[in-house]
Amino acid sequence: MLLDRGDATLGNPPPAQPIRSRASVSWSLKIKKKLKGVTPFLGKFRPTVGQCCHQCTPESLGMKLLKNSPSLGFQNVLHVNETRTRFRGWLVRRVCGLLFVQERKVYPSPAGDRAERVLRSSRVQSLISSGRPTGGAVAGEGSSHSGETAIAATARRGQAVQILEGIQTSISPPLLRLAGWILLKLLGRVFANVQVSLNQLVALHKAPQLHGAPLVFVSVHKSSLDYALVPLVLFCHSLRVPYMVSSTDLSHTWLRPILQKVGVIFPPRCPMGKADTETGALQCAVLSSCVSELLSEGQHLLLFLEEPGCVERRPSPCSAQWLSWVREAVRSGVVPDVALVPVGIAYDAPVEGLGGSRRQAPRCGGFLSLLLSALSLLGRSHGCVRLDFGQPFSLKEMISSGRLPVRGLPLEEILLPAVMGSRSDSLFADKSLGWVLPATACPQLEDQERHLVASLCKHLLYSATSCSAVMSTSMLSCLLLHRHRKQGVGVPQLARDFSWLLEEVLFRNRDVGFGGSLPEVLCHSMTLLRDSLVLCTPPSAPAPLVAPRSTPQAAMTLSRHCGALQHLFIHEAVGACAVSAMLSEMMDCVNIDEMDFDVALCQEELTERVAQLCQLLPSEALLLPPCQSVYSFAQDSIDSLVRCGILVMEELPRERPLCDLWGRRQALLWKSFDDLSNSDSDCEEPPDRRSYKLNQPNHCPDFFFFLCSLLSPLLRALSWSVCGLQHLYSPLTESECIERMQGFLLDKAQGESSYFESATLEMAATAVWTLRDLGVLKEEPGEGGAVCLQLSEAFQQPLAQGKLCRFIARFLYH
């Protein structure tokens, strides 16, 4: 356990203690015997995470909500004892949980006349009073026309009332306290602890007064338990529990009316793609008006940016639609502003979907699967959970900053010329985000407005992911899969690599969700990953060896854990793969393990390779803020490699060094303001083309290969998918195309007897989406109005497929 008491601790959580079981005892004895006497390696330094964007929201950043208070430490939300109540004594220790929830401050929110106000809103009234008869009858003349119009208006009003009855919700204090007590008991049997920073909670208490606006929490979605954890943390610290939007359907279960009384909104089936119809437009109008009424009451909202069954980290269209309604409420003046709060969640081991994909999670609804998952896992600890709340920032300030792009180009237009061997004039352009918020979802919005909302949704997902902590299981999985995969590693060397990786994480201003001494942290993470690891002691080895299992399930599990590190090292990883691509272009056949590091790389060509890879990678893998241009990302990638010591700028030999200013002293003298014969550029020499040389850092000689390996699973899946295009000649729906592509990737991995992390359902979906954006797969209408994907005529030729395969393979680390 990372926290063994409920009070706050200064600096960092108490030492981690491995979960005790019969299988974990041998692990602990073997590891601690070799690491005996190691001192705690994580001090009181904790980076400040969750600060808002300095480009889009400088005024909100200037409030310094996360820096104005001293360090208050962390707290285990699930550990409730008498010290967290106003009473003391032996009886209090037995009923402290009930006393704790009874003392929490709850903000009641009855429904009242909210439904009537929604029906009286101008947008709903305009759709009710004007429109075609719902039955599709042809209007007559005279009184017949007016009669049918009145009947149609009455029918549409009945539909609006029916929609409102489905989303009618409120917050009942007694029921909310009961739900909080049950969740504390239930989740306490599932997780060792749930960590939360007290400084971030203090900032949430101050934010509504400072911003003068309600809060909208925007969270990542990694597990079905997210629905319970975020409101529970806010409830346990006497913060206003927000109304939570759920995309699951519980219309025929007993759980729905109970959850509606604790602030859960169950909208009708997502009208995505139906908003241009009469029923879809009425649903959107009712939901938009409901959002405006909730915000005008001062209520808070909780939105999850990803679909519960999504196979990749990408913003969901439904969440983008809800954000567009929030923006509409601010733009129409219903509320002066809204404070957005990114929420990051990190698990040691999510309760579902690690070995396969999130699409394989229980499909009976998010809350019902939450309950079933928790009940099935009672008595089995799944490690720790860390919740981080970013600094609240103004929505109006972000929109008015003008930093978010309002248009983008299709990927086919940006990258396809480079794939075919010609030069692309729009290589540094922004990619289109039309899939986040399609035109059929919000037909009342213009194209630029829809792209602006999509950029906002992507920026929020980046902010929520950036403030998420890195867990010990992610670091251990990354080391074993991308650095010591083939031969394994001894426990002492693994401990040294773990300490090195921890320093790299903290150096990049990301916090970790653990603390304590090195042996305890390693035992804790190895115990949680024991099904994917092998621990053995060869006769000739002085210490036990740890290696990942060679099974497909183990490779997929470790790869899913590595996602947090891939996002953290994305600048360095993209830059390293671009360097590898330039080396492969210079030499027809090279063994990268034996290459010559004395190679000069031109900065312009390296920037172009970084931009090409940046455009090739899908948005969910790159996950960059839309306010950062592709050219800026390319420059940052090269600079990050220089800071790491992988690249060293080469100074060309010249008669006078650049630092010799005495030789140019006449040109650098002060001149009179009236003397316009000379300009400041007189002292400048013609710019030289910069170049870099590869270098081996002393602290980690194989850091370059480690960075290249981080993107290998995705690039390998893209390269394999091009080889499997012959399986996609006939028109297929997107789900059928992904399923068939995953089957081909699995066959490919089984043929290699390795790299099963490139054959997951997530990788197959990413490959299909990337090929569709590149124009390799074209969308065509199918039977029943379904959209099908078919191989385009240009890529039916083996020559075009070969060019695309070589373009992707040159970035791949071999």
Side-chain angles (χ1 to χ4, degrees):
M1 295 167 50
L2 302 187
L3 285 172
D4 54 1
R5 62 176 186 268
D7 55 336
T9 58
L10 293 177
N12 54 30
Q17 298 179 1
I19 304 166
R20 295 296 177 185
S21 65
R22 182 177 300 177
S24 64
V25 173
S26 60
W27 287 77
S28 303
L29 292 178
K30 292 180 181 180
I31 295 172
K32 289 188 175 182
K33 184 177 179 181
K34 293 296 178 182
L35 299 176
K36 187 177 181 180
V38 179
T39 57
F41 68 114
L42 184 59
K44 292 185 177 181
F45 170 73
R46 288 280 176 171
T48 303
V49 299
Q51 298 188 71
C52 51
C53 181
H54 68 280
Q55 297 184 17
C56 301
T57 54
E59 295 182 5
S60 300
L61 182 63
M63 294 182 179
K64 298 181 180 180
L65 288 176
L66 298 177
K67 287 188 174 181
N68 285 339
S69 58
S71 178
L72 302 177
F74 298 86
Q75 190 176 64
N76 180 12
V77 178
L78 301 180
H79 190 90
V80 178
N81 54 19
E82 60 177 326
T83 61
R84 301 182 68 178
T85 66
R86 294 181 294 127
F87 307 98
R88 297 294 182 270
W90 65 271
L91 182 60
V92 175
R93 287 193 291 270
R94 285 157 178 78
V95 295
C96 58
L98 293 174
L99 294 175
F100 173 75
V101 298
Q102 186 63 31
E103 293 176 354
R104 299 304 93 191
K105 184 177 181 180
V106 177
Y107 300 84
S109 176
D113 61 341
R114 188 184 303 149
E116 291 296 328
R117 297 200 305 269
V118 171
L119 289 175
R120 291 197 303 266
S121 63
S122 58
R123 184 175 177 182
V124 175
Q125 284 296 322
S126 63
L127 285 177
I128 290 177
S129 59
S130 62
R132 300 183 305 273
T134 57
V138 179
E141 297 180 357
S143 60
S144 175
H145 173 73
S146 60
E148 291 184 359
T149 303
I151 294 175
T154 304
R156 283 190 292 273
R157 180 178 178 83
Q159 290 181 357
V161 172
Q162 186 178 3
I163 296 173
L164 279 173
E165 290 176 355
I167 64 174
Q168 190 74 354
T169 181
S170 61
I171 294 181
S172 172
L175 196 57
L176 186 61
R177 298 183 193 275
L178 177 61
W181 179 78
I182 294 176
L183 287 176
L184 284 174
K185 294 295 183 181
L186 192 63
L187 296 178
R189 297 294 187 92
V190 178
F191 298 107
N193 61 72
V194 175
Q195 304 175 33
V196 63
S197 173
L198 296 180
N199 289 77
Q200 298 172 357
L201 296 174
V202 170
L204 291 182
H205 278 284
K206 298 178 181 178
Q209 290 77 21
L210 292 178
H211 287 274
L215 304 181
V216 176
F217 298 88
V218 284
S219 173
V220 297
H221 201 7
K222 297 184 178 181
S223 171
S224 299
L225 295 178
D226 299 342
Y227 288 114
L229 286 173
V230 179
L232 178 64
V233 169
L234 298 176
F235 165 76
C236 290
H237 293 86
S238 298
L239 288 161
R240 183 185 292 271
V241 177
Y243 280 86
M244 180 170 51
V245 179
S246 170
S247 58
T248 56
D249 185 16
L250 298 178
S251 56
H252 302 292
T253 61
W254 55 269
L255 204 57
R256 182 186 179 105
I258 298 177
L259 294 174
Q260 285 182 320
K261 293 187 179 297
V262 292
V264 181
I265 300 176
F266 293 99
R269 301 301 296 176
C270 187
M272 191 63 55
K274 300 188 299 181
D276 52 349
T277 63
E278 186 175 347
T279 303
L282 185 60
Q283 288 182 0
C284 291
V286 172
L287 292 176
S288 177
S289 302
C290 182
V291 170
S292 301
E293 292 298 331
L294 288 175
L295 294 177
S296 63
E297 295 175 8
Q299 302 297 331
H300 299 171
L301 290 178
L302 171 59
L303 304 177
F304 290 97
L305 296 173
E306 302 163 291
E307 291 287 357
C310 184
V311 297
E312 267 300 335
R313 304 294 310 280
R314 51 168 40 196
S316 68
C318 288
S319 64
Q321 198 171 28
W322 280 87
L323 279 175
S324 69
W325 295 332
V326 173
R327 166 161 164 70
E328 180 65 26
V330 176
R331 188 173 58 177
S332 60
V334 176
V335 288
D337 198 1
V338 164
L340 300 174
V341 184
V343 182
I345 306 176
Y347 291 88
D348 264 340
V351 295
E352 82 264 86
L354 255 187
S357 72
R358 283 190 248 179
R359 185 176 286 184
Q360 297 170 353
R363 300 308 304 272
C364 50
F367 291 97
L368 199 55
S369 64
L370 179 156
L371 184 62
L372 295 177
S373 300
L375 291 177
S376 63
L377 296 170
L378 289 179
R380 294 173 50 197
S381 180
H382 278 248
C384 310
V385 185
R386 170 73 176 271
L387 268 75
D388 288 277
F389 296 90
Q391 179 178 347
F393 57 88
S394 168
L395 172 62
K396 181 180 291 186
E397 181 187 5
M398 172 168 277
I399 297 297
S400 61
S401 65
R403 300 291 303 182
L404 297 179
V406 296
R407 62 178 61 88
L409 296 178
L411 182 61
E412 180 180 0
E413 184 177 343
I414 295 174
L415 196 59
L416 201 57
V419 173
M420 295 303 171
S422 59
R423 188 173 183 84
S424 176
D425 297 331
S426 56
L427 183 60
F428 298 99
D430 295 318
K431 285 190 292 188
S432 175
L433 300 175
W435 52 268
V436 177
L437 193 62
T440 55
C442 294
Q444 75 278 5
L445 298 180
E446 298 180 356
D447 292 340
Q448 293 187 358
E449 188 70 18
R450 278 197 300 272
H451 200 279
L452 181 65
V453 175
S455 300
L456 173 64
C457 193
K458 183 181 177 182
H459 201 305
L460 291 174
L461 182 58
Y462 165 80
S463 301
T465 306
S466 298
C467 69
S468 302
V470 179
M471 308 304 286
S472 60
T473 51
S474 298
M475 296 176 60
L476 183 63
S477 301
C478 192
L479 288 173
L480 293 175
L481 194 63
H482 297 294
R483 194 170 183 182
H484 304 291
R485 177 169 189 165
K486 295 183 179 180
Q487 299 178 354
V489 59
V491 172
Q493 180 61 39
L494 180 62
R496 288 190 290 268
D497 292 344
F498 195 93
S499 299
W500 161 79
L501 187 57
L502 173 66
E503 293 178 359
E504 295 291 337
V505 170
L506 296 177
F507 174 75
R508 286 160 178 80
N509 201 32
R510 284 286 291 273
D511 201 2
V512 292
F514 57 88
S517 65
L518 190 55
E520 292 169 335
V521 172
L522 284 178
C523 288
H524 173 79
S525 54
M526 285 184 182
T527 302
L528 293 174
L529 297 174
R530 60 183 178 270
D531 294 337
S532 303
L533 305 180
V534 175
L535 180 65
C536 60
T537 306
S540 59
L545 293 179
V546 181
R549 294 183 182 272
S550 58
T551 60
Q553 186 76 11
M556 295 178 183
T557 300
L558 296 177
S559 179
R560 288 288 300 274
H561 276 294
C562 296
L565 274 300
Q566 178 182 323
H567 173 255
L568 180 63
F569 290 97
I570 190 63
H571 286 87
E572 295 86 348
V574 172
C577 291
V579 171
S580 177
M582 291 188 66
L583 294 175
S584 64
E585 291 175 1
M586 288 187 293
M587 294 167 285
D588 296 334
C589 183
V590 60
N591 185 0
I592 199 170
D593 296 324
E594 300 176 357
M595 67 181 180
D596 184 9
F597 278 83
D598 193 15
V599 177
L601 305 175
C602 179
Q603 184 185 22
E604 296 180 1
E605 296 181 5
L606 184 57
T607 303
E608 185 176 349
R609 296 299 178 272
V610 173
Q612 291 176 358
L613 182 56
C614 178
Q615 300 287 11
L616 175 64
L617 294 176
S619 300
E620 56 271 17
L622 202 61
L623 204 62
L624 292 177
C627 58
Q628 183 179 18
S629 63
V630 177
Y631 182 79
S632 175
F633 172 81
Q635 294 294 327
D636 291 344
S637 297
I638 298 175
D639 293 342
S640 62
L641 292 181
V642 174
R643 287 194 301 268
C644 294
I646 295 176
L647 291 182
V648 177
M649 184 175 293
E650 182 187 23
E651 183 177 350
L652 298 177
R654 59 181 71 229
E655 297 180 358
R656 184 183 299 119
L658 291 175
C659 59
D660 184 14
L661 300 180
W662 182 254
R664 295 183 294 159
R665 60 186 181 278
Q666 296 297 330
L668 297 175
L669 292 177
W670 289 95
K671 295 179 176 62
S672 173
F673 183 76
D674 298 330
D675 184 10
L676 302 180
S677 58
N678 296 314
S679 64
D680 293 339
S681 61
D682 292 340
C683 61
E684 297 180 0
E685 297 180 359
D688 297 328
R689 298 183 64 184
R690 294 183 179 180
S691 58
Y692 298 91
K693 283 188 176 182
L694 279 175
N695 181 47
Q696 288 182 310
N698 295 328
H699 61 280
C700 183
D702 58 346
F703 194 21
F704 174 74
F705 310 118
F706 172 77
L707 294 174
C708 290
S709 180
L710 289 177
L711 292 177
S712 294
L714 178 57
L715 294 174
R716 188 178 296 108
L718 293 176
S719 179
W720 285 355
S721 62
V722 177
C723 301
L725 288 177
Q726 65 271 14
H727 298 276
L728 306 178
Y729 275 108
S730 60
L732 299 171
T733 62
E734 182 179 293
S735 58
E736 294 174 347
C737 194
I738 293 175
E739 183 179 357
R740 185 170 297 186
M741 182 61 71
Q742 188 197 14
F744 174 78
L745 295 179
L746 283 174
D747 295 338
K748 198 69 172 167
Q750 290 175 358
E752 298 279 346
S753 299
S754 184
Y755 307 123
F756 289 97
E757 66 273 12
S758 299
T760 61
L761 188 62
E762 290 88 343
M763 294 298 178
T766 301
V768 170
W769 293 332
T770 304
L771 294 176
R772 180 192 59 189
D773 296 339
L774 276 172
V776 179
L777 298 177
K778 294 291 186 179
E779 293 184 349
E780 294 183 358
E783 298 181 359
V787 178
C788 295
L789 298 177
Q790 186 176 12
L791 190 63
S792 62
E793 295 182 0
F795 281 91
Q796 290 180 3
Q797 305 297 327
L799 180 61
Q801 296 182 13
K803 288 183 178 180
L804 179 58
C805 187
R806 286 190 297 272
F807 177 82
I808 299 174
R810 67 183 181 181
F811 294 105
L812 180 60
Y813 161 71
H814 297 285

